Amino acid sequence: MKSTGKNIYPWAFGTSFLILTGLIGFLIFNTYKLEDKNYQIGQLNRIQNAYGAVIMDDKIFPGGDAIFQTTLVPCLPKWYEKKNK
């Protein structure tokens, strides 16, 4: 009886150590996963706010209003003249 009582302590210690190690690893992994998700949401909000402020008045496609105003608008009177001929 005495020999089995002494042998149970190392097994209990080893089992508890493995369970706690697995639990700590699981919690650390979930913490990093949650932090990564929060970081991605924050970055997405920053990008949407910055991009949304720039493209608010676009007419053709996002970012295309400046191109439209600088390249196509000066040529419109010529095109209208050719169309009406």
Side-chain angles (χ1 to χ4, degrees):
M1 283 299 246
K2 290 183 181 181
S3 65
T4 58
K6 289 183 180 179
N7 287 339
I8 200 163
Y9 293 119
W11 285 100
F13 174 75
T15 306
S16 299
F17 180 75
L18 289 176
I19 290 171
L20 287 174
T21 303
L23 180 64
I24 289 171
F26 177 73
L27 292 175
I28 289 173
F29 174 75
N30 282 341
T31 301
Y32 279 113
K33 199 160 90 171
L34 179 65
E35 289 292 324
D36 184 48
K37 183 178 178 183
N38 288 339
Y39 177 76
Q40 289 179 1
I41 289 171
Q43 291 298 318
L44 180 64
N45 288 338
R46 284 184 184 174
I47 290 170
Q48 286 177 345
N49 290 340
Y51 189 64
V54 172
I55 64 162
M56 191 170 295
D57 294 327
D58 285 347
K59 296 175 179 83
I60 297 175
F61 59 90
D65 189 47
I67 297 170
F68 181 77
Q69 295 296 330
T70 58
T71 58
L72 296 177
V73 170
C75 298
L76 285 178
K78 295 176 190 174
W79 291 342
Y80 287 138
E81 288 177 11
K82 290 181 180 178
K83 181 182 172 189
N84 291 332
K85 286 184 179 181

